[in-house]
Amino acid sequence: PGHTALRPRSAPGRPAAGRLRWLWLLAPGLVLIALAAAMVWRRQHLPRPQAAPERVMLAVLPFENLTGDAAQEYFSDGMTEEMIAQLGDLDPQHLGVIARTSVMHYKNGKTPLDQIGRELGVQYVLEGSVRRDADKVRITAQLIQMKDQSHLWARRYDRELRSTLALQSEIAQEIAGEIQHALGANKFALAAEPPPRSFTSYEAYDLYLKGRYFWNKRTGDGFEQAIHYFQQAIAKDPNYAQAYAGLADSYILLAAYSGAPPAEPLQKARAAATQALHLDEGLAEAHTSLALITENYDWDWPAAEKEYRRAIELNPNYATAYQWYAEYLTWLGRFDEASRASERARELDPLSLIIAADNGMIFYYSRQYDRAETKLNAVLEMDPNFTRAHKVREVYVEKGQFAEALADIEKCRTLFGMPVYWSSLAYTLGRSGHAAEARHALDELERSNRRQPMNPAAMAWAYAGVSDKDHTLLWLNNAYAQRSNAMTALKVDPGYDFLRGDPRFQDLMNRVGLDNSRPDK
């Protein structure tokens, strides 16, 4: 009741169960063919790991907004995100669901389905549309099998807006059942129903969707608007755990993107994450947010790891938890573990530039410079303005390719902003032996800092380039006093290797909770 079967656009009949079992036996051969195709494709795209054969991968493509009102984009995007969450909760050990970051690359696009399947490494996609009118909503959805692009299932749902979340749960269960049937075996250990979302007011849910819409823009203004909507959602429903988790995420990234002192937004993030967990201890997003705060601000490494592991246990499909945990493991010099966590993040979010760039930085910190250069340049081919990937300049310095490093710095002069520009220039010129030019860049950086105080870590980095231990340690201690998250990299960053025998540096490392042993390659 409440939905009608749709005739698929071109729906070949479902293959017989025997034929499916026969195809399933050939899965290893099919995987090898897929790998060969991927080797050709990867020349123009980011390399990505292949999913394990026993783990079925599914992508929820962006639901199309048929309302005719661009202001309703948040609702169709929210439907996409919630369906990802619902399907990801069903049986994470056997059903992997691609993260929102990657699927949104196909929003409003005309990418062929077979190409999407290859790029994301999935066996199934769900596509659909949303039409919202007053207090009614019509949702259509269809499940497509990638190997032959057959339409396994299609439905249309006409419901009251207030029953939208229950409808998402219903769709998720039906899709899982269809995939299980297609595999010809009891593949999934499905939960009786997906874990309930915590809101009790539809108005609060609607405000939450708006908050996530602006949060996903990844801009300072977007985070401010997201905070506004999450706060409104909480005012409507003070027990809405997901809204508190969204608020925590917004304050965390606002601190990172704004360049302002992090203390105030991170304290607000901590309060929001703590309240989210008070309301719902099983919320993976809140555990992940608390882990990052504990790592970057408290430097309580055991407590942070406990939170990351709990988040991954609760939601093995949450790519951000793996991404941030991989970074955590990197700071401790546990590079093999970091690489495994990063690869899992990339499997779940294969088109994410930040996950790919962080993956490349693991190789930089582990002194595998050729691999780091390849990884970071692959990201820059996708987006030449992606700032994290321009850390390749530091890879060039370690390889002695100073001309390439300087060219990258000049290319990004406006992208970085002048403080980072002068800091990077001073560091690179100093490392290349051009002492006079490095001193000129340092003077410019000092003048800039007097006009408007900057992150002390930028000053420390510039002085590290000219191997000035006293000034480097002075500014690192200032960064410590401001709780700068730059302190987390002290153990592994090769730029600070010249300090490792200095007792003052060892004392600083101890205060950050890190030992001073040089990480293995």
Side-chain angles (χ1 to χ4, degrees):
H3 63 70
T4 358
L6 293 180
R7 180 172 298 167
R9 291 177 297 189
S10 58
R14 185 180 291 123
R19 182 183 171 205
L20 279 170
R21 283 193 293 272
W22 179 72
L23 285 174
W24 189 249
L25 291 173
L26 292 180
L30 295 175
V31 170
L32 290 175
I33 294 171
L35 282 169
M39 290 297 291
V40 176
W41 174 83
R42 68 181 293 200
R43 294 176 185 173
Q44 297 178 340
H45 298 78
L46 290 176
R48 63 171 308 278
Q50 294 294 314
E54 68 275 6
R55 184 175 167 84
V56 176
M57 297 299 296
L58 177 143
V60 179
L61 298 184
F63 274 62
E64 187 178 359
N65 173 24
L66 299 182
T67 306
D69 179 3
Q72 294 297 318
E73 286 293 314
Y74 80 91
F75 187 81
S76 56
D77 286 357
M79 182 70 188
T80 306
E81 190 158 355
E82 287 297 311
M83 283 306 308
I84 291 170
Q86 290 279 349
L87 286 161
D89 283 335
L90 287 175
D91 184 8
Q93 298 302 325
H94 299 101
L95 178 62
V97 183
I98 299 296
R100 179 193 187 280
T101 313
S102 286
V103 298
M104 292 308 286
H105 281 262
Y106 305 105
K107 184 177 173 67
N108 300 324
K110 302 298 181 184
T111 309
L113 281 177
D114 59 343
Q115 181 179 334
I116 293 174
R118 290 194 304 272
E119 292 177 1
L120 298 182
V122 296
Q123 291 83 48
Y124 300 90
V125 299
L126 175 71
E127 62 178 11
S129 63
V130 177
R131 186 184 299 275
R132 178 175 172 173
D133 181 23
D135 58 350
K136 303 283 187 182
V137 62
R138 169 172 289 179
I139 295 172
T140 65
Q142 52 190 348
L143 179 67
I144 303 168
Q145 187 169 240
M146 287 291 92
K147 66 180 178 182
D148 56 6
Q149 295 193 36
S150 60
H151 293 61
L152 300 179
W153 167 91
R155 296 286 188 274
R156 185 180 71 206
Y157 302 85
D158 294 291
R159 298 291 175 82
E160 301 285 335
L161 272 173
R162 293 176 182 274
S163 65
T164 300
L165 201 65
L167 175 58
Q168 292 164 353
S169 175
E170 181 181 339
I171 294 172
Q173 288 286 329
E174 290 194 26
I175 288 167
E178 283 295 329
I179 295 175
Q180 182 164 282
H181 180 80
L183 293 176
N186 292 324
K187 180 75 176 177
F188 302 142
L190 297 178
E193 60 182 44
R197 315 309 265 178
S198 65
F199 75 90
T200 57
S201 158
Y202 176 76
E203 290 79 7
Y205 175 60
D206 200 53
L207 290 163
Y208 170 80
L209 292 183
K210 291 178 180 178
R212 279 297 179 192
Y213 177 79
F214 285 105
W215 183 82
N216 280 304
K217 289 183 177 295
R218 293 298 202 277
T219 65
D221 288 343
F223 294 133
E224 294 283 5
Q225 288 180 285
I227 288 168
H228 170 72
Y229 283 116
F230 288 135
Q231 288 174 334
Q232 283 193 315
I234 290 166
K236 288 282 185 183
D237 185 351
N239 295 317
Y240 196 174
Q242 278 89 0
Y244 281 104
L247 191 61
D249 289 343
S250 299
Y251 279 124
I252 287 172
L253 293 187
L254 182 64
Y257 278 68
S258 67
E264 183 178 351
L266 285 178
Q267 289 292 7
K268 291 179 178 179
R270 187 198 306 276
T274 301
Q275 181 62 13
L277 291 174
H278 173 73
L279 294 169
D280 183 358
E281 196 283 331
L283 197 57
E285 294 91 333
H287 282 285
T288 305
S289 297
L290 190 58
L292 190 66
I293 297 164
T294 306
E295 169 194 335
N296 283 353
Y297 188 73
D298 300 336
W299 305 316
D300 186 341
W301 303 94
E305 181 160 25
K306 181 181 177 182
E307 293 296 332
Y308 282 128
R309 287 183 173 275
R310 178 61 176 151
I312 290 169
E313 176 189 12
L314 289 167
N315 185 359
N317 281 321
Y318 188 33
T320 300
Y322 288 103
Q323 175 201 349
W324 291 354
Y325 185 43
E327 188 176 57
Y328 163 94
L329 293 166
T330 299
W331 302 148
L332 297 181
R334 293 158 59 182
F335 298 122
D336 288 344
E337 294 174 80
S339 291
R340 288 194 293 271
S342 180
E343 290 300 311
R344 186 60 180 273
R346 293 176 65 227
E347 176 187 299
L348 292 166
D349 203 350
L351 301 185
S352 167
L353 296 180
I354 185 59
I355 288 175
D358 281 357
N359 182 266
M361 289 304 294
I362 294 172
F363 294 109
Y364 166 71
Y365 291 119
S366 61
R367 280 68 172 170
Q368 300 180 66
Y369 300 123
D370 288 342
R371 297 182 71 181
E373 180 184 351
T374 298
K375 297 273 188 176
L376 293 170
N377 278 328
V379 178
L380 291 174
E381 287 177 13
M382 295 286 287
D383 184 353
N385 293 323
F386 194 73
T387 54
R388 177 68 167 167
H390 281 286
K391 297 286 278 186
V392 73
R393 67 189 182 275
E394 292 169 17
V395 177
Y396 289 139
V397 169
E398 295 303 325
K399 294 180 69 174
Q401 298 173 210
F402 299 112
E404 289 86 344
L406 291 169
D408 184 83
I409 292 169
E410 289 300 327
K411 187 189 307 179
C412 300
R413 185 169 184 161
T414 56
L415 183 64
F416 292 153
M418 294 312 294
V420 175
Y421 168 77
W422 288 119
S423 175
S424 297
L425 191 61
Y427 177 81
T428 303
L429 288 169
R431 287 289 303 271
S432 67
H434 293 80
E437 293 93 331
R439 180 55 58 180
H440 170 73
L442 264 168
D443 290 343
E444 291 291 343
L445 188 65
E446 291 276 12
R447 279 192 285 272
S448 178
N449 187 58
R450 286 193 291 271
R451 287 192 298 270
Q452 182 174 350
M454 66 187 69
N455 188 328
M459 297 294 302
W461 189 248
Y463 278 106
V466 295
S467 299
D468 185 333
K469 290 185 177 182
D470 292 339
H471 280 93
T472 303
L473 287 164
L474 170 68
W475 286 106
L476 283 177
N477 276 287
N478 288 344
Y480 173 87
Q482 291 189 16
R483 314 300 290 187
S484 169
N485 66 0
M487 309 307 292
T488 56
L490 291 182
K491 177 181 174 68
V492 295
D493 199 320
Y496 296 124
D497 282 352
F498 77 106
L499 291 172
R500 300 205 182 278
D502 192 307
R504 295 171 296 175
F505 186 72
Q506 294 171 9
D507 174 68
L508 179 61
M509 292 272 288
N510 288 334
R511 282 182 278 141
V512 181
L514 297 166
D515 68 77
N516 194 41
S517 61
R518 178 166 174 163
D520 295 330
K521 293 185 180 181

